[in-house]
Amino acid sequence: SLVDDAIVDVENVFRHLRENRLKPLSERLSTLQVVYEASKEVRMPILNSTLIIVASFLPLFFLSGMEGRMLVPLGITFIVSLFASTLVALTLTPVLCSYLLQNNTAKETPQEPFVVRHLKSGYDRVLQGSLRRWKVVLNSSLAVLVLAVVLFLNFGRSFLPPFNEGSFTINVATLPGTSLEESDKIGRLAEEIVMGIPEVKTVIRKTGRAELDEHALGVHVSELEAPFEIIDRPRDAVTEELRERLGEIPGINLEIGQPISHRIDVMLSGNKANIAIKIFGNELNKLFSLGNEIQAAIQDVPGVADLNVEQQVERPELSIRPKRELMAAYGLTLPEFKEYINVMLAGEVVSQVMEGGRRFDLTVKVDDKHRTTIASLKELTVDAGGRKVPLGQLADFVSTAGPNTINRENVQRHVVVSANTAGRDLRSVVADIQKRIDQEISLPDDYYIQYGGQFESEMRASRTLMVTSIFAILVIFLLIYNQFRNTRQAALIMLNLPMALIGGIFMIWMTSGVVSIPAIIGFISLFGIATRNGLLLVDRYNTLLAEGYSLDESIRKGSMDRMIPILMMAISTALALLPLALQADQPGNEIQSPLAQVILGGLLTSTILNMIIIPIVYRWMGAKKENA
């Protein structure tokens, strides 16, 4: 895109210099005059087409969350670079043309290059045939557009394309409270199974994570990193075999992902899975029961993998319940009682000790031997009104059980049912899950479900892009109208948008069949790129009409004049996009590839149809105006 403005300027200067050499010697202008007039002719179309492309990228800046963090830098980089290239095309490029493209007086009848002559000859035949059979051409284009829209409505939807990070991240979790020894034994068994996969090179395991870690985990959770190298099987087949083998370990919850993908899922929903079904309510036991019901209802939904319910188990607790009447008799308040308990059992830092240049906290608490049993705790004494009173007289000690964790979101308790997708797109899987839950699960009053993870982000980003794209299209229309001051001609150039969509949709159909956020960005980018060609054509038609050419002559000559710069811009953009589009499975290229594929396909159809449909509709509008 950065060379497009220069292509238009240089080609127009080059063509005007050739036409200038064909004139009699007495009528020829100087090189400087020709360069000035030629550059002036395309100055406004270049500037407006740049502003149009910038307007098409504006929806990116309204994205929030993870998608905004990833895609806004793309928009900033593109817009800044585009403005810089336009500035160069409007200033430096004409100067270089005046020095490097001199009038050649030796050739009085300069010929166009062989390839250009044959391209123009072929295009002229196609254009004349299309103008004669304009109804057939328009109806065929409309039919193809309808087919493309039908295909688009049947595509799958996802937030991001699947990554190819070259490493598996595998979470193996047992019941909370499982000892470190038993969890380590299960982790070793998982290691052996993973190493049995031929493509896996090595395995690294972490069992549990420290409390101060950003991702603290209990000792019942093991996280395995398994770098792999694809040999002769697709990655999906390797993942499926890994899932089947690890699924044979009894009593575990399994999640298989990749390092960056896992972190993205955690940042989006707090869970290391693509889909997070959050059940909100008050009673933890009821929430856990509902989670198990949902798991049973959706476990056979096609595409659901690694289906898990957030583990809830009862763990032993010691409840110290103060006797308020006795405490009042001894003159002991509840805050004072609480402070005694905290200091004795949890400890309190009262000072620091310096030793060899290092600082150590000095903590006051009861010796560990007095905290091992309920009987020893009851014997601990509390200062109450100057008297030492046994703790057993001031409080009841009750052995109870409570949940291992209580998770909240927006102050509400919740339990999460998590799942990944395999073999299907994200939105289709979630749609089937929602349908199954609505049919089979009855929620009590004050209990409700929210769907989080990548699905939630995809829905939010799609809504944002849809709304902002409407405004972007309106801005593009106003910029085109400002160029021509003609509503019909502005609408004519906007015909490039559906033409561009055709190629992008067919490109998705031939590749993944799934529309992701990068692919939607590709469609938005096409809006600006596609309208540039129509802007150049219509501007040239108008110029030739103003010079006295007839309508048909203006269309034929204008189309021939603009064919080369339009093709050069399309080819240069296509060559730049090909490495991204063809290497879709390369690590690091997964996000750019759908965007490049959509732009490449849309560029192909918009370039071809633009050079046929725009002349047809322009002629029809001109003929209607003459008849009026």
Side-chain angles (χ1 to χ4, degrees), residues 247-516:
E248 295 174 359
I249 302 177
I252 67 166
N253 283 344
L254 179 66
E255 288 178 348
I256 299 178
Q258 300 178 89
I260 297 176
S261 305
H262 253 43
R263 273 61 187 177
I264 289 176
D265 289 330
V266 169
M267 285 186 281
L268 290 176
S269 66
N271 284 78
K272 298 179 180 180
N274 300 153
I275 304 168
I277 307 168
K278 301 177 183 179
I279 314 157
F280 291 86
N282 296 320
E283 294 292 333
L284 285 175
N285 291 334
K286 184 62 177 177
L287 290 173
F288 187 60
S289 174
L290 287 170
N292 287 322
E293 289 180 25
I294 289 175
Q295 182 185 34
I298 67 174
Q299 61 185 354
D300 60 342
V301 170
V304 170
D306 304 335
L307 181 60
N308 295 312
V309 181
E310 185 180 332
Q311 291 296 307
Q312 289 284 346
V313 296
E314 296 288 323
R315 301 184 67 178
E317 292 181 352
L318 179 62
S319 176
I320 302 176
R321 300 172 183 175
K323 300 175 181 178
R324 295 173 181 266
E325 296 82 0
L326 285 174
M327 286 174 52
Y330 284 108
L332 190 65
T333 64
L334 278 176
E336 290 173 337
F337 180 78
K338 178 182 177 183
E339 185 179 1
Y340 279 125
I341 297 297
N342 284 338
V343 172
M344 285 192 294
L345 303 184
E348 181 177 334
V349 177
V350 295
S351 183
Q352 287 186 327
V353 177
M354 298 287 295
E355 184 178 324
R358 300 172 64 188
R359 294 175 181 268
F360 298 92
D361 288 337
L362 180 61
T363 304
V364 175
K365 64 178 181 179
V366 172
D367 193 88
D368 288 343
K369 66 181 180 180
H370 297 296
R371 303 187 302 164
T372 54
T373 64
I374 294 178
S376 61
L377 288 173
K378 288 182 177 181
E379 293 174 0
L380 295 174
T381 58
V382 176
D383 288 331
R387 288 175 292 178
K388 298 291 185 179
V389 181
L391 192 58
Q393 292 185 18
L394 298 175
D396 291 325
F397 288 75
V398 181
S399 181
T400 62
N404 61 304
T405 56
I406 301 176
N407 293 320
R408 295 178 182 269
E409 186 173 314
N410 296 326
V411 197
Q412 280 275 63
R413 290 180 175 182
H414 71 79
V415 166
V416 177
V417 180
S418 61
N420 286 321
T421 58
R424 288 184 71 194
D425 65 283
L426 182 65
R427 182 175 283 194
S428 298
V429 172
V430 174
D432 287 351
I433 288 175
Q434 289 176 320
K435 184 178 179 181
R436 188 71 63 86
I437 290 175
D438 291 341
Q439 290 175 347
E440 300 184 16
I441 305 299
S442 178
L443 295 175
D445 292 340
D446 299 327
Y447 286 75
Y448 61 95
I449 292 175
Q450 286 185 355
Y451 296 87
Q454 291 195 18
F455 167 77
E456 182 183 25
S457 298
E458 189 271 331
M459 291 286 288
R460 182 180 63 245
S462 297
R463 285 195 300 266
T464 301
L465 291 174
M466 183 178 68
V467 174
T468 53
S469 295
I470 294 173
F471 286 100
I473 292 172
L474 179 60
V475 171
I476 291 173
F477 180 83
L478 293 175
L479 287 170
I480 298 172
Y481 178 80
N482 183 62
Q483 168 78 20
F484 299 111
R485 301 291 177 176
N486 188 307
T487 306
R488 287 187 175 185
Q489 291 188 356
L492 168 61
I493 295 172
M494 296 296 284
L495 282 176
N496 281 279
L497 302 187
M499 296 176 198
L501 294 179
I502 292 173
I505 291 171
F506 277 104
M507 186 63 76
I508 293 177
W509 176 68
M510 290 187 293
T511 52
S512 64
V514 177
V515 180
S516 59

Side-chain angles (χ1 to χ4, degrees), residues 176-237:
T178 303
S179 67
L180 179 60
E181 291 74 17
E182 185 63 26
S183 187
D184 180 56
K185 187 186 299 182
I186 294 172
R188 290 181 185 277
L189 177 60
E191 285 182 32
E192 294 174 4
I193 292 174
V194 174
M195 283 302 297
I197 304 295
E199 287 80 2
V200 174
K201 296 185 287 187
T202 187
V203 177
I204 305 138
R205 173 168 61 94
K206 298 186 289 286
T207 298
R209 286 198 180 187
E211 292 181 2
L212 296 180
D213 192 284
E214 291 182 356
H215 304 285
L217 297 173
V219 295
H220 66 287
V221 180
S222 293
E223 185 176 85
L224 290 78
E225 298 288 346
F228 63 88
E229 184 177 357
I230 296 301
I231 302 173
D232 55 1
R233 294 190 297 170
R235 182 161 52 92
D236 291 344

